[in-house]
Amino acid sequence: MIDMAIQTEKYASCVDASKRVRWDIDRDILRGRDFDMGHKLLPDSISGIQRFEFLDPHEARLLSQIQGRTYANMFGLVERFINCKVLELSQHHWTGDQVALEALVRFSDEELKHQALFRRIDEMIGETLPPGYRFDVDPDAVASVVLGKSTWAVLALTLDIELFSQLHYRQSIDPDDQLSELFKNVFLYHWKEESQHAILDELEWTRHDATVTASDRDKAVDEFIELVAAIDGILQAQAAADTRYFVANCGRAVDGAETLSVEANFLEAYRWQYIHSGARHPHFGKVLYSLISEDQGMRIQAALTTFQ
Ligand SMILES: [Fe+2]
Ligand SMILES: [Fe+2]
């Protein structure tokens, strides 16, 4: 009973915070502004710019803008399946803890708004950059693959994502004064609502974990690895697409060898952004390792080393 009361209090504090920080796309973020392509979008520490050699300032800015657009699109992509899972989990609170239900309903509402925000951002960046950018990943197709895995595995991936998104904002986007103000604002407001999501992911993951058998959990560990591998497949395709776009628009001839090196650097940056920064997040590790065995942890670590 005491445990239940503590849980309800955690859900309640998420509801309070969600009400306090609630924002509107046009009124609070966009405010009639457009992107100014004289500024970078994604910070150097996230875009891995130090790996790219021979970039002049124009090329460095273009690289940051391409990665920034892909960054917004990647969040729009993952938030589709995250929202589906949150709606599904809410059924466990339809009757019973109405505070927990409200927390998940708000979570879902926020992710729908975030997806709309990221679609707007993609469109607005598209109006200022040269044509030809591609992000050919269908959020519904990805959601159907992800949601085919167990809830345990999907919640592991979701907590991972929602923790790294906060880490990127706090450590890299917020302190960087070279970035577009509008882009910084997008991720400031996104971070404000994501902070509650990560708490709810953890509550739901541990609640769900208590209902699974040891063999279900063991299978779910493998499914989590399969999901990370699926993300890696998306990153490989996007690294290739973004390289083609960069080479076509950087304003000089890029030979085959340099193109290959640019693509390898894009992929390394994306793997850090969407796989390793989350997998190495201290709180993600703390929650994950409290749920799994040493052997399962080693399986995950071994799999992660293949995405280098
Ligand atoms: Fe979000
Ligand atoms: Fe979220």
Side-chain angles (χ1 to χ4, degrees), residues 25-86:
I25 295 174
D26 283 290
R27 189 193 61 217
D28 300 307
I29 301 184
L30 301 181
R31 288 179 261 149
R33 295 178 290 176
D34 281 315
F35 283 103
D36 148 27
M37 284 302 145
H39 285 95
K40 287 184 175 174
L41 298 182
L42 211 60
D44 292 353
S45 54
I46 297 186
S47 64
I49 207 140
Q50 73 287 354
R51 293 190 201 98
F52 292 82
E53 288 166 50
F54 319 120
L55 293 185
D56 68 22
H58 159 78
E59 291 170 341
R61 202 163 53 235
L62 177 64
L63 184 104
S64 150
Q65 291 162 348
I66 297 168
Q67 288 206 21
R69 187 174 185 182
T70 291
Y71 193 72
N73 283 328
M74 282 297 290
F75 279 107
L77 176 75
V78 299
E79 293 191 347
R80 182 69 51 91
F81 73 73
I82 290 174
N83 184 44
C84 298
K85 186 49 79 179
V86 167

Side-chain angles (χ1 to χ4, degrees), residues 18 23 27 52 54 65 73 83 125 135 141 156 204 214-215 223 264 270 306:
S18 159
W23 44 262
R27 189 193 61 217
F52 292 82
F54 319 120
Q65 291 162 348
N73 283 328
N83 184 44
I125 298 175
F135 186 84
E204 288 297 313
S215 85
E223 289 181 326
Y270 289 168
T306 61

Side-chain angles (χ1 to χ4, degrees), residues 140-149 227 230:
D140 290 333
V142 171
S144 84
V145 171
V146 173
L147 298 167
K149 308 290 182 191
L227 286 175

